[in-house]
Coordinates of all heavy atoms in Angstrom, one line a residue:
M1 N 0.8 -1.2 0.0 CA 0.0 0.0 0.0 C 0.9 1.3 0.0 O 0.7 2.2 -0.8 CB -0.9 0.0 1.2 CG -1.9 1.1 1.4 SD -3.0 1.2 0.0 CE -4.0 2.5 0.4
H2 N 1.9 1.2 0.9 CA 2.8 2.4 0.9 C 3.5 2.6 -0.4 O 3.6 3.8 -0.9 CB 3.8 2.2 2.0 CG 4.8 3.3 2.1 ND1 4.4 4.6 2.6 CD2 6.1 3.4 1.8 CE1 5.5 5.4 2.5 NE2 6.5 4.7 2.1
L3 N 3.9 1.5 -1.1 CA 4.6 1.6 -2.3 C 3.7 2.2 -3.4 O 4.1 3.1 -4.2 CB 5.0 0.2 -2.8 CG 6.1 0.1 -3.9 CD1 7.4 0.9 -3.4 CD2 6.4 -1.3 -4.2
Y4 N 2.4 1.8 -3.4 CA 1.4 2.3 -4.3 C 1.3 3.8 -4.2 O 1.3 4.6 -5.2 CB 0.1 1.7 -4.1 CG -1.0 2.3 -4.9 CD1 -1.2 1.9 -6.2 CD2 -1.9 3.2 -4.3 CE1 -2.2 2.5 -7.0 CE2 -2.9 3.7 -5.1 CZ -3.0 3.4 -6.4 OH -4.0 4.0 -7.2
V5 N 1.3 4.3 -2.9 CA 1.1 5.7 -2.7 C 2.4 6.5 -3.2 O 2.2 7.5 -3.9 CB 1.0 6.0 -1.2 CG1 1.0 7.5 -0.9 CG2 -0.4 5.4 -0.7
V6 N 3.5 5.9 -3.0 CA 4.8 6.6 -3.5 C 4.7 6.7 -5.0 O 5.0 7.7 -5.6 CB 6.0 5.8 -3.0 CG1 7.3 6.4 -3.7 CG2 6.2 5.9 -1.5
F7 N 4.4 5.6 -5.7 CA 4.3 5.6 -7.2 C 3.2 6.6 -7.6 O 3.4 7.3 -8.6 CB 4.0 4.2 -7.7 CG 5.2 3.4 -7.9 CD1 5.2 2.0 -7.4 CD2 6.4 3.9 -8.4 CE1 6.4 1.3 -7.6 CE2 7.5 3.1 -8.6 CZ 7.5 1.8 -8.1
G8 N 2.1 6.6 -6.9 CA 1.0 7.4 -7.3 C 1.4 8.9 -7.2 O 0.9 9.7 -8.0
Q9 N 2.3 9.2 -6.3 CA 2.7 10.6 -6.2 C 3.8 11.0 -7.2 O 3.9 12.2 -7.6 CB 3.2 10.9 -4.8 CG 2.1 10.9 -3.8 CD 2.7 10.9 -2.3 OE1 3.8 10.6 -2.1 NE2 1.8 11.3 -1.4
T10 N 4.6 10.1 -7.6 CA 5.8 10.4 -8.4 C 5.6 10.1 -9.9 O 6.3 10.7 -10.7 CB 7.1 9.7 -8.0 OG1 6.8 8.3 -8.1 CG2 7.4 10.1 -6.5
A11 N 4.6 9.3 -10.2 CA 4.4 8.9 -11.6 C 4.2 10.0 -12.6 O 4.8 10.0 -13.7 CB 3.3 7.8 -11.7
P12 N 3.4 11.0 -12.2 CA 3.2 12.1 -13.2 C 4.4 13.1 -13.4 O 4.4 13.9 -14.3 CB 2.0 12.9 -12.5 CG 1.5 12.1 -11.4 CD 2.6 11.2 -11.0
N13 N 5.4 13.0 -12.5 CA 6.5 13.9 -12.6 C 7.2 14.1 -14.0 O 7.4 15.2 -14.4 CB 7.6 13.6 -11.5 CG 7.1 14.0 -10.1 OD1 6.1 14.6 -10.0 ND2 7.9 13.6 -9.1
P14 N 7.5 13.0 -14.7 CA 8.1 13.1 -16.0 C 7.2 13.9 -16.9 O 7.7 14.8 -17.7 CB 8.3 11.7 -16.5 CG 8.4 10.9 -15.2 CD 7.4 11.6 -14.3
V15 N 5.9 13.7 -16.9 CA 5.0 14.4 -17.7 C 4.9 15.9 -17.4 O 5.0 16.7 -18.2 CB 3.5 13.8 -17.6 CG1 2.6 14.6 -18.5 CG2 3.6 12.3 -18.0
I16 N 4.8 16.1 -16.1 CA 4.8 17.5 -15.6 C 6.1 18.3 -16.1 O 6.1 19.4 -16.5 CB 4.6 17.6 -14.1 CG1 3.2 17.1 -13.8 CG2 4.8 19.0 -13.6 CD1 2.9 16.9 -12.3
S17 N 7.2 17.6 -16.0 CA 8.5 18.2 -16.4 C 8.5 18.5 -17.9 O 8.9 19.6 -18.2 CB 9.7 17.2 -16.1 OG 9.8 17.0 -14.7
T18 N 8.0 17.6 -18.7 CA 8.0 17.9 -20.1 C 7.0 19.0 -20.4 O 7.3 19.9 -21.3 CB 7.7 16.7 -21.0 OG1 6.4 16.2 -20.7 CG2 8.7 15.6 -20.9
M19 N 5.9 19.1 -19.7 CA 5.0 20.2 -19.9 C 5.6 21.5 -19.6 O 5.3 22.5 -20.2 CB 3.7 19.9 -19.1 CG 2.8 18.8 -19.7 SD 1.4 18.5 -18.7 CE 0.3 19.7 -19.3
K20 N 6.4 21.5 -18.6 CA 7.1 22.7 -18.1 C 8.1 23.2 -19.1 O 8.2 24.4 -19.5 CB 7.8 22.4 -16.8 CG 8.5 23.6 -16.2 CD 9.1 23.3 -14.8 CE 9.9 24.4 -14.3 NZ 10.6 24.0 -13.0
Y21 N 8.9 22.2 -19.6 CA 10.0 22.6 -20.5 C 9.7 22.7 -22.0 O 10.4 23.3 -22.8 CB 11.2 21.7 -20.3 CG 11.8 21.9 -18.9 CD1 11.7 20.9 -17.9 CD2 12.5 23.0 -18.6 CE1 12.2 21.0 -16.7 CE2 13.0 23.2 -17.3 CZ 12.9 22.2 -16.3 OH 13.4 22.4 -15.1
F22 N 8.6 22.0 -22.3 CA 8.2 22.0 -23.7 C 6.7 22.5 -23.9 O 5.9 22.0 -24.7 CB 8.3 20.6 -24.3 CG 9.7 20.1 -24.3 CD1 10.1 19.2 -23.3 CD2 10.6 20.4 -25.3 CE1 11.4 18.7 -23.3 CE2 11.9 20.0 -25.3 CZ 12.3 19.1 -24.2
K23 N 6.4 23.6 -23.1 CA 5.1 24.1 -23.1 C 4.6 24.5 -24.5 O 3.5 24.2 -24.8 CB 5.1 25.4 -22.2 CG 3.8 26.0 -21.9 CD 3.9 27.2 -21.0 CE 2.5 27.9 -20.9 NZ 2.7 29.1 -20.0
E24 N 5.4 25.2 -25.3 CA 5.0 25.7 -26.6 C 4.7 24.5 -27.5 O 3.7 24.5 -28.3 CB 6.1 26.5 -27.2 CG 5.7 27.1 -28.6 CD 4.4 27.9 -28.6 OE1 4.0 28.4 -27.5 OE2 3.8 28.0 -29.7
E25 N 5.5 23.4 -27.4 CA 5.2 22.2 -28.2 C 3.9 21.6 -27.8 O 3.1 21.1 -28.7 CB 6.4 21.2 -28.1 CG 7.6 21.5 -28.9 CD 8.5 22.6 -28.3 OE1 8.1 23.1 -27.2 OE2 9.5 22.9 -28.9
Y26 N 3.6 21.5 -26.5 CA 2.3 20.9 -26.1 C 1.2 21.8 -26.6 O 0.2 21.3 -27.1 CB 2.3 20.9 -24.6 CG 2.7 19.7 -23.9 CD1 4.1 19.5 -23.5 CD2 1.9 18.6 -23.7 CE1 4.5 18.3 -22.9 CE2 2.3 17.4 -23.1 CZ 3.6 17.3 -22.7 OH 4.1 16.1 -22.1
R27 N 1.4 23.1 -26.5 CA 0.3 24.0 -27.0 C 0.0 23.8 -28.5 O -1.1 23.7 -28.9 CB 0.7 25.5 -26.7 CG -0.4 26.4 -26.7 CD 0.0 27.9 -26.7 NE 0.8 28.2 -28.0 CZ 0.2 28.3 -29.2 NH1 -1.1 28.1 -29.3 NH2 0.9 28.5 -30.2
Q28 N 1.1 23.7 -29.3 CA 0.9 23.5 -30.7 C 0.2 22.2 -31.0 O -0.7 22.2 -31.9 CB 2.2 23.6 -31.4 CG 2.9 24.9 -31.5 CD 4.3 24.9 -32.0 OE1 4.8 23.9 -32.4 NE2 4.9 26.1 -32.1
H29 N 0.6 21.1 -30.3 CA -0.1 19.9 -30.6 C -1.5 19.8 -30.2 O -2.4 19.3 -30.9 CB 0.7 18.7 -29.9 CG 2.0 18.4 -30.6 ND1 3.1 19.1 -30.6 CD2 2.3 17.3 -31.4 CE1 4.1 18.6 -31.3 NE2 3.6 17.5 -31.8
V30 N -1.8 20.3 -29.0 CA -3.1 20.1 -28.4 C -4.1 21.2 -29.0 O -5.2 20.9 -29.4 CB -3.1 20.2 -26.9 CG1 -4.5 20.2 -26.3 CG2 -2.2 19.1 -26.3
L31 N -3.7 22.4 -29.0 CA -4.6 23.5 -29.4 C -4.6 23.7 -31.0 O -5.6 23.9 -31.6 CB -4.2 24.8 -28.7 CG -4.4 24.8 -27.2 CD1 -4.0 26.1 -26.6 CD2 -5.8 24.4 -26.8
D32 N -3.4 23.8 -31.5 CA -3.3 24.1 -33.0 C -3.4 22.9 -33.9 O -3.5 23.0 -35.1 CB -2.0 24.9 -33.3 CG -1.9 26.2 -32.5 OD1 -2.9 26.7 -32.1 OD2 -0.8 26.7 -32.3
K33 N -3.2 21.7 -33.2 CA -3.2 20.4 -34.0 C -2.1 20.4 -35.0 O -2.3 20.0 -36.2 CB -4.6 20.1 -34.7 CG -5.7 20.2 -33.7 CD -5.9 18.9 -33.0 CE -7.2 18.9 -32.1 NZ -7.0 19.1 -30.7
K34 N -0.9 21.0 -34.7 CA 0.2 21.0 -35.6 C 1.5 20.5 -34.9 O 1.6 20.6 -33.7 CB 0.4 22.5 -36.0 CG -0.6 23.0 -36.9 CD -0.2 24.3 -37.6 CE -1.2 25.0 -38.4 NZ -2.0 24.2 -39.3
C35 N 2.3 19.9 -35.7 CA 3.6 19.4 -35.3 C 4.6 20.1 -36.2 O 4.7 19.7 -37.4 CB 3.7 17.9 -35.3 SG 5.4 17.3 -35.0
K36 N 5.4 21.1 -35.7 CA 6.3 21.8 -36.5 C 7.4 21.0 -37.1 O 8.0 21.3 -38.1 CB 6.8 23.1 -35.8 CG 7.7 22.8 -34.7 CD 8.1 24.2 -34.1 CE 9.1 24.0 -32.9 NZ 9.5 25.2 -32.3
T37 N 7.7 19.9 -36.4 CA 8.8 19.1 -36.9 C 8.4 18.1 -38.0 O 9.2 17.5 -38.7 CB 9.5 18.2 -35.8 OG1 8.5 17.3 -35.3 CG2 9.9 19.1 -34.6
G38 N 7.0 17.9 -38.1 CA 6.5 16.9 -39.0 C 6.7 15.5 -38.6 O 6.4 14.5 -39.3
E39 N 7.1 15.3 -37.4 CA 7.4 13.9 -36.9 C 6.0 13.2 -36.5 O 6.0 12.0 -36.6 CB 8.3 13.9 -35.6 CG 9.7 14.2 -35.9 CD 10.3 13.2 -36.8 OE1 10.2 12.0 -36.5 OE2 11.0 13.6 -37.8
C40 N 5.0 14.0 -36.1 CA 3.8 13.3 -35.8 C 2.9 13.1 -37.0 O 2.3 14.1 -37.5 CB 3.0 14.2 -34.8 SG 3.9 14.6 -33.3
K41 N 2.9 11.9 -37.5 CA 2.3 11.6 -38.8 C 0.8 11.9 -38.7 O 0.2 12.3 -39.7 CB 2.5 10.2 -39.2 CG 4.0 9.8 -39.4 CD 4.6 10.7 -40.4 CE 6.1 10.5 -40.5 NZ 6.9 11.6 -40.8
A42 N 0.2 11.7 -37.5 CA -1.3 11.9 -37.4 C -1.6 13.4 -37.6 O -2.7 13.7 -37.9 CB -1.7 11.4 -36.0
L43 N -0.6 14.3 -37.4 CA -0.9 15.7 -37.5 C -0.4 16.3 -38.8 O -0.6 17.5 -39.1 CB -0.3 16.5 -36.3 CG -0.9 16.1 -34.9 CD1 -0.2 16.9 -33.8 CD2 -2.4 16.4 -34.9
A44 N 0.4 15.5 -39.5 CA 1.0 16.1 -40.7 C 0.0 16.3 -41.8 O -0.9 15.4 -42.0 CB 2.1 15.1 -41.2
D45 N 0.1 17.3 -42.6 CA -0.8 17.6 -43.7 C -0.3 16.7 -44.9 O 0.9 16.8 -45.2 CB -0.7 19.1 -44.1 CG -1.8 19.8 -43.3 OD1 -2.7 19.2 -42.8 OD2 -1.6 21.1 -43.2
I46 N -1.2 16.0 -45.5 CA -0.8 15.3 -46.7 C -1.2 16.1 -47.9 O -2.3 16.6 -48.0 CB -1.6 13.9 -46.7 CG1 -1.1 13.1 -45.5 CG2 -1.3 13.2 -48.0 CD1 -1.8 11.8 -45.3
Q47 N -0.2 16.3 -48.8 CA -0.4 17.2 -49.9 C 0.1 16.6 -51.2 O 1.0 15.7 -51.2 CB 0.4 18.5 -49.7 CG 0.0 19.3 -48.5 CD 0.9 20.5 -48.2 OE1 2.0 20.5 -48.6 NE2 0.3 21.5 -47.6
I48 N -0.5 17.1 -52.3 CA -0.1 16.6 -53.6 C 0.7 17.7 -54.2 O 0.3 18.9 -54.3 CB -1.4 16.3 -54.5 CG1 -2.1 15.1 -54.0 CG2 -0.9 16.1 -56.0 CD1 -3.4 14.9 -54.7
D49 N 1.9 17.4 -54.7 CA 2.7 18.4 -55.4 C 2.2 18.5 -56.8 O 2.3 17.6 -57.7 CB 4.2 17.9 -55.4 CG 5.1 18.9 -56.0 OD1 4.7 19.8 -56.8 OD2 6.3 18.7 -55.8
P50 N 1.7 19.7 -57.2 CA 1.1 19.8 -58.5 C 2.1 19.8 -59.6 O 1.8 19.5 -60.8 CB 0.4 21.2 -58.5 CG 1.1 21.9 -57.3 CD 1.5 20.9 -56.4
E51 N 3.4 20.0 -59.3 CA 4.5 19.9 -60.3 C 4.7 18.4 -60.7 O 5.1 18.1 -61.8 CB 5.8 20.5 -59.7 CG 5.7 22.0 -59.4 CD 5.5 22.8 -60.6 OE1 6.2 22.5 -61.6 OE2 4.7 23.8 -60.6
K52 N 4.5 17.5 -59.7 CA 4.8 16.1 -59.9 C 3.6 15.3 -60.3 O 3.7 14.3 -61.0 CB 5.4 15.5 -58.7 CG 6.8 16.0 -58.3 CD 7.2 15.2 -57.0 CE 8.6 15.7 -56.6 NZ 9.0 15.1 -55.3
C53 N 2.4 15.8 -60.0 CA 1.2 15.0 -60.3 C 0.9 15.0 -61.8 O 1.0 16.0 -62.5 CB 0.0 15.7 -59.6 SG -1.6 14.9 -60.0
R54 N 0.6 13.8 -62.3 CA 0.3 13.6 -63.8 C -1.1 13.5 -64.0 O -1.5 13.2 -65.1 CB 1.1 12.4 -64.3 CG 2.6 12.4 -64.0 CD 3.4 13.2 -65.1 NE 4.8 13.0 -64.9 CZ 5.6 12.1 -65.3 NH1 5.0 11.2 -66.1 NH2 6.9 12.1 -65.1
G55 N -1.9 13.5 -62.9 CA -3.4 13.3 -63.1 C -3.8 11.9 -63.5 O -4.8 11.8 -64.2
C56 N -3.1 10.9 -63.0 CA -3.4 9.5 -63.4 C -4.7 9.0 -62.7 O -5.3 8.1 -63.1 CB -2.3 8.6 -63.1 SG -2.0 8.3 -61.3
G57 N -5.0 9.6 -61.6 CA -6.3 9.3 -60.8 C -6.1 8.1 -59.9 O -7.1 7.7 -59.3
M58 N -4.9 7.5 -59.8 CA -4.7 6.4 -58.9 C -5.1 6.7 -57.5 O -5.7 5.9 -56.8 CB -3.3 5.9 -59.0 CG -3.0 4.6 -58.3 SD -3.7 3.2 -59.2 CE -2.3 2.8 -60.3
C59 N -4.7 7.8 -57.0 CA -4.9 8.2 -55.6 C -6.4 8.4 -55.4 O -7.0 7.9 -54.4 CB -4.2 9.5 -55.3 SG -4.5 10.9 -56.4
K60 N -7.1 9.1 -56.4 CA -8.5 9.3 -56.3 C -9.3 8.0 -56.2 O -10.2 7.9 -55.4 CB -8.9 10.2 -57.5 CG -10.3 10.7 -57.6 CD -10.5 11.5 -58.8 CE -11.9 11.8 -59.1 NZ -12.0 12.5 -60.4
R61 N -8.9 7.1 -57.0 CA -9.6 5.8 -57.0 C -9.5 5.0 -55.7 O -10.3 4.2 -55.3 CB -9.2 4.9 -58.2 CG -9.7 5.4 -59.5 CD -9.5 4.4 -60.6 NE -8.1 4.2 -60.9 CZ -7.4 5.0 -61.7 NH1 -7.9 6.0 -62.3 NH2 -6.1 4.7 -62.0
N62 N -8.3 5.2 -55.1 CA -8.0 4.4 -53.9 C -8.3 5.1 -52.5 O -8.2 4.5 -51.5 CB -6.6 4.0 -53.9 CG -6.3 2.9 -54.9 OD1 -6.6 1.7 -54.6 ND2 -5.9 3.2 -56.1
C63 N -8.7 6.4 -52.6 CA -9.0 7.1 -51.3 C -10.3 6.5 -50.7 O -11.3 6.6 -51.4 CB -9.1 8.6 -51.6 SG -9.5 9.5 -50.1
P64 N -10.2 6.0 -49.5 CA -11.4 5.4 -48.9 C -12.5 6.4 -48.5 O -13.7 6.0 -48.3 CB -10.9 4.8 -47.6 CG -9.6 5.5 -47.3 CD -9.1 6.0 -48.6
V65 N -12.2 7.7 -48.5 CA -13.2 8.7 -48.1 C -13.5 9.7 -49.2 O -14.1 10.8 -48.9 CB -12.8 9.4 -46.8 CG1 -12.9 8.4 -45.6 CG2 -11.5 10.1 -46.9
E66 N -13.0 9.4 -50.4 CA -13.3 10.3 -51.6 C -12.8 11.7 -51.3 O -13.6 12.7 -51.6 CB -14.7 10.2 -52.0 CG -15.1 8.8 -52.4 CD -16.6 8.7 -52.9 OE1 -17.3 9.7 -52.8 OE2 -17.0 7.6 -53.3
A67 N -11.6 11.9 -50.7 CA -11.1 13.2 -50.4 C -10.3 13.8 -51.5 O -9.9 15.0 -51.4 CB -10.3 13.1 -49.1
I68 N -10.1 13.1 -52.6 CA -9.3 13.6 -53.7 C -10.1 13.9 -54.9 O -10.9 13.1 -55.3 CB -8.1 12.6 -54.0 CG1 -7.3 12.3 -52.7 CG2 -7.3 13.1 -55.1 CD1 -6.2 11.2 -52.9
S69 N -9.8 15.0 -55.5 CA -10.5 15.3 -56.7 C -9.6 15.8 -57.8 O -8.4 16.2 -57.5 CB -11.6 16.4 -56.4 OG -10.9 17.6 -55.9
G70 N -10.0 15.8 -59.0 CA -9.2 16.2 -60.1 C -9.5 15.6 -61.4 O -10.1 14.5 -61.4
E71 N -9.3 16.3 -62.5 CA -9.6 15.7 -63.8 C -8.4 14.9 -64.3 O -7.2 15.2 -63.9 CB -9.9 16.9 -64.8 CG -11.1 17.8 -64.4 CD -12.4 17.0 -64.3 OE1 -12.6 16.1 -65.2 OE2 -13.2 17.2 -63.4
V72 N -8.6 14.0 -65.3 CA -7.6 13.2 -65.9 C -6.5 14.2 -66.5 O -6.9 15.1 -67.2 CB -8.2 12.3 -67.0 CG1 -7.1 11.5 -67.7 CG2 -9.2 11.3 -66.3
K73 N -5.3 13.8 -66.2 CA -4.1 14.6 -66.7 C -4.0 16.0 -66.2 O -3.2 16.8 -66.7 CB -4.1 14.6 -68.3 CG -3.9 13.2 -68.9 CD -3.8 13.3 -70.4 CE -3.6 11.9 -71.0 NZ -3.4 11.9 -72.4
Q74 N -4.7 16.3 -65.1 CA -4.6 17.6 -64.4 C -4.2 17.3 -63.0 O -4.5 16.2 -62.4 CB -6.0 18.3 -64.4 CG -6.5 18.7 -65.8 CD -5.6 19.7 -66.5 OE1 -5.1 20.6 -65.9 NE2 -5.4 19.4 -67.8
P75 N -3.5 18.2 -62.3 CA -3.1 18.0 -60.9 C -4.3 17.8 -60.0 O -5.3 18.5 -60.1 CB -2.4 19.4 -60.6 CG -2.0 19.9 -61.9 CD -3.0 19.5 -62.9
H76 N -4.2 16.8 -59.2 CA -5.3 16.5 -58.3 C -5.1 17.2 -56.9 O -4.0 17.7 -56.6 CB -5.4 15.0 -58.0 CG -6.0 14.2 -59.2 ND1 -5.8 14.6 -60.5 CD2 -6.8 13.2 -59.2 CE1 -6.5 13.8 -61.3 NE2 -7.1 12.9 -60.5
V77 N -6.1 17.4 -56.2 CA -6.0 18.0 -54.9 C -6.7 17.2 -53.8 O -7.7 16.5 -54.0 CB -6.7 19.5 -54.9 CG1 -5.9 20.4 -55.8 CG2 -8.1 19.4 -55.3
I78 N -6.2 17.4 -52.6 CA -6.8 16.7 -51.4 C -7.7 17.7 -50.6 O -7.2 18.8 -50.3 CB -5.7 16.1 -50.5 CG1 -4.9 15.0 -51.3 CG2 -6.3 15.5 -49.2 CD1 -3.7 14.5 -50.6
D79 N -8.9 17.2 -50.3 CA -9.7 18.0 -49.4 C -9.3 17.7 -48.0 O -9.6 16.6 -47.5 CB -11.2 17.6 -49.7 CG -12.2 18.4 -48.8 OD1 -11.7 19.0 -47.8 OD2 -13.3 18.5 -49.2
K80 N -8.6 18.6 -47.3 CA -8.1 18.3 -46.0 C -9.2 18.1 -44.9 O -9.0 17.4 -43.9 CB -7.3 19.5 -45.5 CG -6.0 19.6 -46.2 CD -5.2 20.8 -45.8 CE -3.9 21.0 -46.7 NZ -3.2 22.2 -46.4
A81 N -10.4 18.6 -45.2 CA -11.5 18.4 -44.2 C -12.0 17.0 -44.3 O -12.5 16.5 -43.3 CB -12.6 19.4 -44.6
K82 N -11.9 16.3 -45.4 CA -12.3 14.9 -45.6 C -11.2 13.9 -45.2 O -11.5 12.8 -44.8 CB -12.8 14.7 -47.0 CG -14.1 15.3 -47.3 CD -14.5 14.8 -48.7 CE -15.8 15.4 -49.2 NZ -16.1 15.0 -50.6
C83 N -10.0 14.3 -45.5 CA -8.8 13.4 -45.4 C -8.7 12.8 -44.0 O -8.7 13.6 -43.0 CB -7.6 14.1 -45.8 SG -6.1 13.1 -45.6
I84 N -8.6 11.5 -43.9 CA -8.4 10.9 -42.6 C -6.9 10.5 -42.3 O -6.6 9.7 -41.4 CB -9.3 9.6 -42.4 CG1 -9.1 8.6 -43.5 CG2 -10.8 10.1 -42.4 CD1 -9.8 7.3 -43.3
K85 N -6.1 10.9 -43.3 CA -4.6 10.7 -43.2 C -4.2 9.2 -43.0 O -3.4 8.8 -42.2 CB -4.1 11.5 -42.0 CG -4.3 12.9 -42.2 CD -3.9 13.8 -41.0 CE -4.2 15.2 -41.2 NZ -4.0 16.1 -40.1
C86 N -4.9 8.4 -43.9 CA -4.6 7.0 -43.8 C -3.3 6.6 -44.6 O -2.7 5.6 -44.3 CB -5.8 6.2 -44.5 SG -5.9 6.5 -46.3
G87 N -2.9 7.5 -45.5 CA -1.6 7.3 -46.2 C -1.7 6.4 -47.4 O -0.7 6.2 -48.1
T88 N -2.9 6.0 -47.8 CA -3.1 5.1 -49.0 C -2.6 5.8 -50.2 O -1.9 5.2 -51.1 CB -4.6 4.7 -49.1 OG1 -4.9 4.0 -47.9 CG2 -4.8 3.8 -50.3
C89 N -3.0 7.1 -50.4 CA -2.7 7.8 -51.6 C -1.1 7.9 -51.8 O -0.6 7.8 -52.9 CB -3.3 9.2 -51.6 SG -2.9 10.2 -50.2
I90 N -0.4 8.1 -50.7 CA 1.0 8.2 -50.8 C 1.6 6.9 -51.3 O 2.5 6.9 -52.2 CB 1.6 8.5 -49.4 CG1 1.1 9.8 -48.9 CG2 3.1 8.5 -49.4 CD1 1.5 10.1 -47.4
S91 N 1.1 5.8 -50.8 CA 1.7 4.5 -51.3 C 1.3 4.1 -52.7 O 2.0 3.4 -53.3 CB 1.3 3.4 -50.3 OG -0.1 3.3 -50.2
V92 N 0.1 4.6 -53.2 CA -0.3 4.2 -54.5 C 0.2 5.1 -55.7 O 0.1 4.7 -56.8 CB -1.8 3.9 -54.7 CG1 -2.3 2.9 -53.7 CG2 -2.6 5.2 -54.5
C93 N 0.6 6.3 -55.3 CA 1.0 7.3 -56.4 C 2.2 6.8 -57.1 O 3.3 6.7 -56.5 CB 1.2 8.7 -55.8 SG 1.8 9.8 -57.1
P94 N 2.1 6.5 -58.4 CA 3.3 6.0 -59.1 C 4.3 7.1 -59.4 O 5.5 6.8 -59.8 CB 2.7 5.5 -60.4 CG 1.4 6.2 -60.6 CD 0.9 6.6 -59.2
F95 N 4.0 8.3 -59.2 CA 5.0 9.4 -59.4 C 5.5 10.1 -58.2 O 6.1 11.2 -58.3 CB 4.3 10.4 -60.4 CG 3.8 9.8 -61.6 CD1 2.5 9.5 -61.8 CD2 4.7 9.5 -62.7 CE1 2.0 8.9 -63.0 CE2 4.3 8.9 -63.8 CZ 2.9 8.6 -64.0
K96 N 5.2 9.5 -57.1 CA 5.7 10.0 -55.8 C 5.4 11.5 -55.6 O 6.2 12.3 -55.2 CB 7.2 9.8 -55.6 CG 7.6 8.4 -55.8 CD 8.6 7.9 -54.8 CE 9.1 6.5 -54.9 NZ 8.0 5.5 -54.9
A97 N 4.1 11.9 -56.0 CA 3.7 13.3 -56.0 C 3.0 13.7 -54.7 O 2.7 14.8 -54.4 CB 2.7 13.5 -57.1
I98 N 2.8 12.7 -53.8 CA 2.1 13.0 -52.5 C 3.0 12.7 -51.3 O 3.7 11.7 -51.2 CB 0.9 12.1 -52.4 CG1 0.0 12.1 -53.7 CG2 0.0 12.5 -51.2 CD1 -1.2 11.2 -53.7
S99 N 3.0 13.7 -50.4 CA 3.9 13.5 -49.2 C 3.2 14.2 -48.0 O 2.2 14.9 -48.2 CB 5.2 14.1 -49.4 OG 5.1 15.5 -49.7
Ligands
SF4_101 S1 -4.4 10.0 -46.8 FE1 -6.1 8.6 -47.1 S2 -7.9 9.7 -46.7 FE2 -6.3 11.2 -47.0 S3 -6.4 11.8 -49.2 FE3 -4.9 10.1 -49.0 S4 -6.1 8.2 -49.3 FE4 -7.6 9.8 -48.9
SF4_102 S1 -1.7 9.1 -58.0 FE1 -0.1 10.7 -58.0 S2 0.1 11.3 -60.2 FE2 -1.8 10.1 -60.0 S3 -3.4 11.7 -59.7 FE3 -2.7 11.1 -57.7 S4 -1.1 12.5 -57.1 FE4 -1.4 12.7 -59.3

């Protein structure tokens, strides 16, 4: 019982320390939903590079939520409001136009 109490009091310390020293990073992740380093894949914006896109439609056909639009042979675009960041489009694009 005594051991439990000790752990119970000290366990949050590492978290509190990082909140103290990385306050701005916490704020960006929690409030702005952004990761400036790009390391947090769940928060990263997935974009199509219009210079590399050939308009093949492969990404559009494979997107599970129909978040990609575009005409054949024209640069396609991702609707960020619909995108669930599954990464499928990145893996199917034959021209590596999505990152
Ligand atoms: S990441 Fe997934 S949901 Fe978002 S545009 Fe690509 S395929 Fe669609
Ligand atoms: S799969 Fe790649 S090249 Fe084809 S439309 Fe999508 S982004 Fe453009």
Side-chain angles (χ1 to χ4, degrees):
M1 181 64 177
H2 178 68
L3 197 58
Y4 172 78
V5 171
V6 170
F7 276 134
Q9 289 171 341
T10 58
N13 284 351
V15 176
I16 291 169
S17 292
T18 60
M19 288 179 81
K20 180 179 175 188
Y21 293 109
F22 298 98
K23 184 178 174 185
E24 182 56 23
E25 281 78 359
Y26 269 93
R27 199 193 62 72
Q28 286 174 2
H29 283 75
V30 176
L31 298 180
D32 300 341
K33 307 276 187 258
K34 291 194 186 312
C35 172
K36 68 179 179 183
T37 67
E39 287 299 310
C40 302
K41 300 304 175 210
L43 296 178
D45 272 340
I46 295 175
Q47 298 176 330
I48 295 175
D49 182 342
E51 298 291 320
K52 292 181 181 174
C53 177
R54 307 273 184 90
C56 70
M58 188 72 90
C59 57
K60 185 178 168 181
R61 286 193 293 278
N62 285 281
C63 176
V65 293
E66 299 181 355
I68 302 174
S69 59
E71 300 298 321
V72 177
K73 295 187 179 178
Q74 297 296 318
H76 284 38
V77 292
I78 295 173
D79 182 340
K80 290 178 186 174
K82 286 186 182 175
C83 176
I84 57 171
K85 298 173 182 174
C86 68
T88 301
C89 54
I90 297 172
S91 59
V92 300
C93 177
F95 302 101
K96 306 221 179 305
I98 310 175
S99 56

